[in-house]
Amino acid sequence: MEIIGISLSYRTCSIEKRESLYLNESEKEELIKILKNGFLLEGIVISTCNRTEIIGLTINDEITIDILVDKILEYKPVENLKSSDFLKYFNCTALKHILEVVSGIDSLIIGDSQILGQVKESFLLSEKLNFLGTIFHRIEQISLKLGKKVISETILGEGAVSISYAAIKVIEKIFSHFQNKQALIIGAGETAELAAMHLNELNLEKMYITNRTREKGENLANKISAEFIEFENFDSILQEIDILISATSSPNFLIDFERIKSIGKFRRGKPLVIMDIAIPRDIDPKVANLDWIFYHDVDSLQKFIDQNIEKRKAEIPKIKSFIQDEMVTFFSWYNTLQIIPTLKNFRDFFEEIRSDEFEKIKNKLLPEEIEKVENMTKRLVGRILHNPTINLKKLSEDSSNYEKSSEYSKMLMELYNLSKKS
Amino acid sequence: MDSFINILNLFLLLFYILSFTSYLLDFKNDLPFFKNSKRIFLFLTILIHLIFIVLLTNELKHFPITNKFEIFSLISFSIVFTYFLIELLTDIKGTGLFLLALSLILQVQSVFLFKMNPNVLPILKSIPMGLHVSTAILSYTAFSISAIYAILYFLLYKSIKSNKFGLYFNKLPDLEILEKLSFTAMSIGLVLLSIAIIIGIIWLPSAFPNFSYYDPKIISTFIVWIFYAVGISRKELGYLYGKKLIRFAIIGLFLIILASMGPSFFTNSFHTFG
């Protein structure tokens, strides 16, 4: 029985292949049922937009990683997806991989906050389908503990790493009170919607949405309780607003320098934050030269994001040391599990001899001697077995002695013919 | 007692250095130890300084406002005390380093200019004089604090405008807060200066036979008062925002430096006490 794992992620293949192999809840359930039937004793199946993974404990030594790859491809065939597209893990590396995934350091965006929840759901699904045994229960515990530790003791999840969120973070460095602020969002596409959602969390006094396609604009406005204004009329509120976010696909500038400059005299120095997160840009970047304008485009926000990513990367060594600690603790326990059957057989073997021999002389003893002699034989066997038991346990608790302890274990089994007994 | 007060003043300087260093290390390096301990150091500094002022007043038998040593010490105390209140009440962090830097400079000067002189002019020992000078000093301190917040606003403003998301961006509070702090300090300064002027107008003519409304110090103080009164009114009326207000606070700092130093050039001022 070994822990094995396969992973298909952004590291080895394209988004198209990852999307094709994505497993929804019912597919995960079906796959787990297949894996339980002759392949894995316990394990988890994780599937997100960035990765699909199976990690489990094999039923016997004949189950290999390649068999696991074949099984998933058999279940969900994907054109051009080869065995080499999968990363493969065995024992130590398998556990290390789960821990790296759950901590967020293996994510496409380092420090991704969603992965902890996704891994947690995978463990819950395994539990529901009786696919969690002693070993994966333990792995679940240390994974979730590590995930929480990373959140509380590192800054891996801090700082904006998306353009729309970065825009909000910069806005928060300009304004502190949003209850008296008004914002206009131009556009209703994915980027505009994301920015609108983030902005909505700031509880602004008023939010306006404008879009060339009225229906899309109104839908977004309804979603965030904003006011929709006709695209032709948005110009009229420019002098009222404090925040302007533009994310359209317009090939030309929607607002030129002169228009922004003209509202300056009414604002008396009151700041206007412009986040032009459109490509190509919607607003003439020359407006950045005006004192009261805080203008940022995708390039400048990207600088902010890059800095945050660097800060997150700097946390990786710290997290790797957490992972190392968890692995040492886990394998001390796991290796002990491997020798427990050997020790049990070993002790049973001696107990059987003791018991046989005691039965042989029992009838020759005086009634008051029986208990004394029995206790003496038990003590004798106990003392004989004490050192080998303790030493083998100690050896197995140190994960670096894994091979040695399993060699000693096999030796005991062979020397005393314990395998035949069991 | 003189030597004890001198030693205490030196000891106080040590605490100022300690507080400043802990705020500096926290600002630059984010060291957890200083994040927690800097406020304790600052509190101890304020406590020792308060004890120092009480002992000094008791020893001199008058407000410690009669020479540069006493005045620098008082201003230094009022700056750290004001900042401590701001940090405690608003939980706005990241600006302490800059205010402590100013206090430290003043405290260093106070140590170098240490002079125990109980034999001052009787007029300087009077209570109205104490109130007049204390409120005037505190008002100028408030204007200086306003200017420091304005400078911090300017640093952050430059960082944001030039897309430099570094130390200032990460550590300073947002621009709106800095503008508010600068404006609040300025408003408090104006109120205190008004009190100093009112006490002066009521009491000075009877205390000084050579009192004159054309005294350079009185004229310069009125100019400062008018400057800030106009600025604050314009802000209240919605004419001054953001960088304009900040520019105003920084110009104000230069004006109060001129107003404080200018009259020294005029030897015939009744406001000069040597």
Side-chain angles (χ1 to χ4, degrees):
Chain A
M1 288 190 301
E2 309 290 353
I3 302 172
I4 59 170
I6 54 169
S7 165
L8 185 90
S9 72
Y10 69 93
R11 288 188 189 278
T12 54
C13 73
S14 65
I15 188 163
E16 288 77 19
K17 286 182 185 175
R18 297 198 310 264
E19 278 174 350
S20 306
L21 196 72
Y22 173 75
L23 303 166
N24 61 32
E25 281 303 293
S26 60
E27 286 172 328
K28 277 194 269 183
E29 284 189 23
E30 280 175 29
L31 183 63
I32 287 175
K33 281 171 193 165
I34 294 169
L35 294 172
K36 274 177 77 180
N37 193 14
F39 301 97
L40 297 178
L41 273 175
E42 47 181 305
I44 52 164
V45 176
I46 304 166
S47 194
T48 72
C49 52
N50 278 323
R51 61 177 72 245
T52 294
E53 322 234 341
I54 303 173
I55 296 152
L57 186 72
T58 56
I59 280 182
N60 56 48
D61 292 347
E62 283 160 25
I63 305 298
T64 62
I65 295 174
D66 289 331
I67 292 174
L68 213 55
V69 174
D70 292 343
K71 276 293 131 195
I72 192 169
L73 290 180
E74 215 172 85
Y75 174 72
K76 193 156 187 180
V78 175
E79 204 182 335
N80 294 329
L81 190 61
K82 303 180 293 289
S83 173
S84 58
D85 288 324
F86 287 86
L87 288 170
K88 294 157 189 174
Y89 303 100
F90 185 77
N91 277 340
C92 262
T93 57
L95 177 70
K96 189 176 173 212
H97 177 66
I98 298 181
L99 297 178
E100 284 181 349
V101 168
V102 80
S103 65
I105 61 172
D106 192 58
S107 298
L108 179 59
I109 298 163
I110 295 169
D112 173 21
S113 57
Q114 291 179 327
I115 192 70
L116 176 61
Q118 288 161 339
V119 174
K120 200 174 174 180
E121 278 170 21
S122 301
F123 276 111
L124 286 173
L125 182 67
S126 291
E127 187 155 32
K128 186 179 126 188
L129 300 172
N130 292 322
F131 196 40
L132 274 197
T134 320
I135 291 167
F136 270 76
H137 255 304
R138 184 82 170 215
I139 292 177
E140 180 188 21
Q141 280 171 8
I142 62 168
S143 300
L144 302 184
K145 190 179 116 193
L146 176 76
K148 286 173 190 165
K149 192 173 177 181
V150 167
I151 293 169
S152 62
E153 293 182 26
T154 73
I155 56 160
L156 193 78
E158 287 181 17
V161 287
S162 71
I163 291 288
S164 52
Y165 194 46
I168 303 303
K169 286 286 155 194
V170 175
I171 292 170
E172 281 183 321
K173 213 66 199 176
I174 297 165
F175 298 130
S176 55
H177 303 292
F178 290 92
Q179 289 77 7
N180 58 350
K181 302 286 183 299
Q182 298 191 7
L184 167 66
I185 293 159
I186 308 176
E190 201 181 323
T191 313
E193 183 174 342
L194 216 54
M197 294 293 190
H198 287 310
L199 205 55
N200 197 32
E201 286 169 16
L202 299 176
N203 293 321
L204 276 85
E205 183 189 11
K206 194 155 195 176
M207 276 175 73
Y208 299 98
I209 305 281
T210 187
N211 192 47
R212 274 189 212 278
T213 316
R214 189 190 172 98
E215 195 189 344
K216 273 184 88 178
E218 278 183 333
N219 282 345
L220 179 58
N222 289 337
K223 222 178 209 177
I224 56 164
S225 307
E227 186 181 319
F228 175 78
I229 52 169
E230 295 291 347
F231 192 74
E232 293 73 26
N233 300 337
F234 81 77
D235 195 65
S236 63
I237 57 155
L238 283 180
Q239 68 188 57
E240 310 294 327
I241 56 166
D242 305 283
I243 300 160
L244 169 63
I245 296 180
S246 195
T248 74
S249 49
S250 165
N252 304 312
F253 289 148
L254 296 176
I255 303 172
D256 61 19
F257 175 75
E258 291 306 323
R259 175 63 192 123
I260 293 290
K261 194 181 169 192
S262 69
I263 60 170
K265 55 179 180 265
F266 302 105
R267 299 181 67 92
R268 299 165 179 169
K270 191 176 155 197
L272 172 62
V273 183
I274 298 176
M275 294 291 167
D276 188 352
I277 51 177
I279 298 174
R281 291 179 289 196
D282 288 339
I283 297 152
D284 188 345
K286 269 198 296 182
V287 300
N289 297 329
L290 297 167
D291 268 1
W292 49 280
I293 293 284
F294 292 93
Y295 173 86
H296 290 273
D297 57 19
V298 170
D299 279 353
S300 67
L301 293 171
Q302 190 57 48
K303 279 187 196 169
F304 182 49
I305 290 170
D306 290 345
Q307 282 185 7
N308 288 333
I309 289 173
E310 284 310 309
K311 278 185 206 161
R312 288 184 175 200
K313 279 185 182 166
E315 291 293 273
I316 292 177
K318 194 175 173 184
I319 293 159
K320 284 197 167 170
S321 84
F322 293 166
I323 291 175
Q324 190 64 34
D325 293 346
E326 292 299 343
M327 285 178 65
V328 169
T329 315
F330 176 81
F331 278 103
S332 301
W333 171 82
Y334 180 72
N335 293 343
T336 324
L337 282 187
Q338 308 264 53
I339 57 132
I340 281 175
T342 309
L343 287 175
K344 189 178 177 303
N345 288 341
F346 185 50
R347 297 188 78 91
D348 286 352
F349 173 72
F350 276 82
E351 173 57 25
E352 211 178 301
I353 295 170
R354 185 202 67 80
S355 178
D356 280 353
E357 293 302 320
F358 178 69
E359 287 301 324
K360 282 178 196 168
I361 60 154
K362 197 176 171 183
N363 296 333
K364 296 171 191 168
L365 296 171
L366 295 169
E368 64 268 25
E369 289 173 335
I370 291 176
E371 200 185 340
K372 282 180 188 170
V373 173
E374 187 173 20
N375 285 343
M376 186 273 287
T377 57
K378 279 182 182 171
R379 277 200 307 277
L380 186 70
V381 170
R383 287 184 71 176
I384 290 167
L385 296 184
H386 180 77
N387 282 349
T389 308
I390 294 296
N391 289 337
L392 192 57
K393 265 189 181 172
K394 265 189 196 163
L395 197 69
S396 66
E397 276 169 9
D398 185 346
S399 51
S400 62
N401 291 327
Y402 175 72
E403 282 181 9
K404 206 172 176 182
S405 71
S406 89
E407 194 183 311
Y408 280 22
S409 176
K410 275 182 193 161
M411 205 184 286
L412 274 184
M413 301 282 267
E414 279 176 26
L415 287 174
Y416 292 97
N417 275 338
L418 300 179
S419 51
K420 283 179 188 167
K421 284 203 150 306
S422 61
Chain B
M1 193 65 181
D2 284 13
S3 58
F4 174 73
I5 289 177
N6 193 16
I7 290 165
L8 191 60
N9 203 24
L10 283 168
F11 189 62
L12 189 54
L13 178 64
L14 188 73
F15 267 83
Y16 269 92
I17 294 169
L18 209 59
S19 297
F20 173 76
T21 312
S22 57
Y23 272 83
L24 176 71
L25 290 174
D26 177 52
F27 189 84
K28 278 192 76 181
N29 304 335
D30 255 337
L31 298 174
F33 172 75
F34 292 105
K35 195 175 278 305
N36 303 321
S37 60
K38 61 177 188 178
R39 203 180 268 185
I40 298 168
F41 287 135
L42 184 61
F43 175 74
L44 289 174
T45 307
I46 291 168
L47 192 68
I48 296 168
H49 207 150
L50 188 66
I51 294 167
F52 174 79
I53 289 172
V54 170
L55 287 175
L56 188 67
T57 309
N58 187 50
E59 183 67 14
L60 296 170
K61 311 283 183 233
H62 62 75
F63 283 107
I65 48 159
T66 60
N67 59 30
K68 283 176 184 165
F69 144 66
E70 293 166 12
I71 288 172
F72 282 147
S73 183
L74 194 66
I75 297 176
S76 182
F77 174 76
S78 53
I79 290 173
V80 286
F81 184 67
T82 309
Y83 173 72
F84 188 67
L85 286 182
I86 290 171
E87 192 180 302
L88 218 59
L89 298 174
T90 62
D91 210 33
I92 295 167
K93 291 169 190 148
T95 62
L97 170 70
F98 304 91
L99 291 169
L100 271 166
L102 179 63
S103 305
L104 182 62
I105 292 166
L106 293 165
Q107 189 57 29
V108 169
Q109 297 206 39
S110 165
V111 168
F112 281 114
L113 298 168
F114 179 79
K115 185 176 142 193
M116 289 292 281
N117 182 17
N119 303 319
V120 293
L121 295 171
I123 192 81
L124 291 175
K125 291 185 173 184
S126 70
I127 290 174
M129 182 66 165
L131 289 173
H132 170 68
V133 178
S134 305
T135 46
I137 287 171
L138 289 175
S139 72
Y140 278 27
T141 306
F143 292 138
S144 307
I145 290 173
S146 164
I148 288 173
Y149 281 122
I151 291 165
L152 295 182
Y153 179 102
F154 195 70
L155 291 173
L156 181 58
Y157 172 89
K158 280 274 173 203
S159 296
I160 297 173
K161 288 281 274 186
S162 56
N163 305 322
K164 286 179 184 150
F165 305 105
L167 202 58
Y168 294 130
F169 184 86
N170 290 320
K171 290 288 185 166
L172 291 177
D174 60 77
L175 289 176
E176 198 173 6
I177 287 280
L178 288 171
E179 183 182 332
K180 196 177 170 189
L181 286 170
S182 178
F183 180 68
T184 308
M186 195 188 287
S187 307
I188 292 168
L190 186 70
V191 171
L192 289 167
L193 188 61
S194 305
I195 295 169
I197 290 173
I198 291 166
I199 295 170
I201 288 171
I202 296 169
W203 171 73
L204 288 176
S206 60
F208 292 91
N210 57 343
F211 174 83
S212 163
Y213 282 109
Y214 299 106
D215 180 84
K217 202 155 201 169
I218 291 183
I219 293 170
S220 63
T221 307
F222 269 113
I223 291 170
V224 169
W225 189 90
I226 291 166
F227 176 81
Y228 279 105
V230 169
I232 288 166
S233 308
R234 279 176 62 80
K235 167 72 181 165
E236 290 294 347
L237 293 169
Y239 286 96
L240 272 186
Y241 277 110
K243 206 179 161 191
K244 279 186 183 175
L245 179 75
I246 287 332
R247 208 178 286 146
F248 176 83
I250 295 171
I251 293 169
L253 179 69
F254 287 108
L255 196 64
I256 59 170
I257 291 169
L258 279 177
S260 313
M261 292 169 64
S264 318
F265 296 109
F266 300 91
T267 49
N268 58 345
S269 171
F270 77 91
H271 247 116
T272 308
F273 303 104

